[in-house]
Amino acid sequence: LMISVFHVLSLSLWPLLMSLAVLVMFISLYLSMKVGFNLLMLITILVILNWFKDVSRESDLLMEHSFLNNVFFKTGMILFITSEIMFFVSFFWCYFDFVLVVDMELGGVWPPKGVQSINPFSIPLLNTMILLSSGVLITWSHFSILNNDWYFSVVTLAITLILGIYFLFIQFQEYVDATYTFMSSGYGSIFFLATGFHGFHVLLGCVLITASLIRMVLLNCDALSHYNFEFSAWYWHFVDVVWLFLFIFIYWWGY
């Protein structure tokens, strides 16, 4: 009875490789080893895609996932997103500490003297519209799956992915054109930390959407079985909401 209810995981190196790649990646970031960081980020993305492929194979080909397994998957994803929320709460906590109690060393004002913050109604507003549009499209894709409309589910998800990549490109241009750096007082530090980690999460969301899009094109998703897409959509909506808070408090209020 236990064998029919629970799926016993086969041996896999992906959890170990993922943990080591992420650990060394952030050590590399701390030591400012940019080339090593980019390489490790690529390795992390490849590990995610291969791990995703193995889980999909267990579900679609081997039929090893029971209803209880899917409940555990949903619970795990909810807990993961909750941990990510707390991760960003720490950044906002630090930001509000800077803003509400401004040190005299920063000139008694926020943003600090000598720092020209980015106009929130230029690139940040454009990025906001891009992410909100992508959130609408991925929701449209979800409803299309529920109605077994393969064409619109694929097209809207593909456009969502394109918008996510476009967001990252514009954010990179924003960093290049910024008049301050990570070392420009507390403002530069919290700005690049918060928005940079959000950009990393957008990249991770694009990876998840890419895997879901591949499965969708291969007709491995339908109205009754699309947990992988559902998790990707949850994560993408989380990324959208975090960006709204970043836009309101760091870009708009901080301007």
Side-chain angles (χ1 to χ4, degrees):
L1 177 62
M2 295 299 291
I3 295 178
S4 63
V5 174
F6 293 97
H7 165 52
V8 179
L9 296 173
S10 57
L11 294 177
S12 175
L13 288 176
W14 301 129
L16 178 61
L17 291 177
M18 172 68 79
S19 302
L20 291 176
V22 172
L23 174 63
V24 180
M25 181 172 63
F26 284 106
I27 292 176
S28 174
L29 179 63
Y30 175 75
L31 297 176
S32 300
M33 298 166 56
K34 296 181 180 180
V35 177
F37 177 80
N38 295 333
L39 177 62
L40 289 165
M41 181 181 293
L42 177 61
I43 293 174
T44 302
I45 293 174
L46 292 176
V47 170
I48 292 174
L49 289 175
N50 281 279
W51 196 352
F52 205 103
K53 181 189 69 175
D54 284 355
V55 175
S56 300
R57 179 175 57 83
E58 292 173 353
S59 174
D60 299 332
L61 300 179
L62 302 179
M63 306 296 290
E64 294 179 339
H65 293 172
S66 65
F67 172 78
L68 193 58
N69 287 124
N70 293 325
V71 172
F72 290 155
F73 285 145
K74 286 188 175 183
T75 304
M77 191 64 188
I78 291 173
L79 293 175
F80 172 66
I81 292 177
T82 302
S83 68
E84 295 287 86
I85 291 173
M86 301 310 298
F87 178 76
F88 279 98
V89 164
S90 64
F91 288 134
F92 283 108
W93 189 296
C94 177
Y95 178 76
F96 289 135
D97 183 65
F98 276 130
V99 175
L100 299 178
V101 185
V102 181
D103 292 335
M104 295 305 297
E105 296 177 354
L106 301 178
V109 294
W110 188 266
K113 291 183 178 179
V115 174
Q116 180 62 44
S117 57
I118 298 172
N119 185 351
F121 301 108
S122 56
I123 291 179
L125 181 60
L126 174 60
N127 269 343
T128 302
M129 299 305 297
I130 290 173
L131 277 189
L132 290 179
S133 300
S134 68
V136 173
L137 286 168
I138 200 171
T139 303
W140 186 358
S141 180
H142 191 191
F143 279 108
S144 298
I145 292 177
L146 295 177
N147 294 321
N148 287 318
D149 188 341
W150 180 85
Y151 176 78
F152 278 107
S153 62
V154 170
V155 170
T156 51
L157 190 61
I159 297 176
T160 301
L161 178 60
I162 293 172
L163 289 177
I165 296 173
Y166 185 48
F167 173 91
L168 292 174
F169 174 76
I170 293 178
Q171 188 175 47
F172 174 77
Q173 291 296 322
E174 179 185 74
Y175 287 172
V176 171
D177 297 336
T179 58
Y180 49 88
T181 66
F182 184 82
M183 303 301 292
S184 299
S185 71
Y187 182 87
S189 299
I190 193 62
F191 174 83
F192 284 105
L193 273 176
T195 59
F197 271 111
H198 177 268
F200 178 77
H201 284 73
V202 172
L203 177 62
L204 179 56
C206 288
V207 173
L208 296 176
I209 290 176
T210 300
S212 299
L213 183 60
I214 293 173
R215 282 176 48 83
M216 199 177 292
V217 171
L218 296 176
L219 302 178
N220 290 331
C221 288
D222 54 38
L224 298 178
S225 179
H226 56 276
Y227 291 107
N228 60 305
F229 170 82
E230 196 171 7
F231 297 157
S232 302
W234 290 358
Y235 193 81
W236 198 253
H237 288 309
F238 154 73
V239 169
D240 288 348
V241 172
V242 170
W243 176 258
L244 287 177
F245 281 97
L246 289 173
F247 175 76
I248 293 173
F249 293 109
I250 292 184
Y251 283 102
W252 190 2
W253 191 29
Y255 185 66

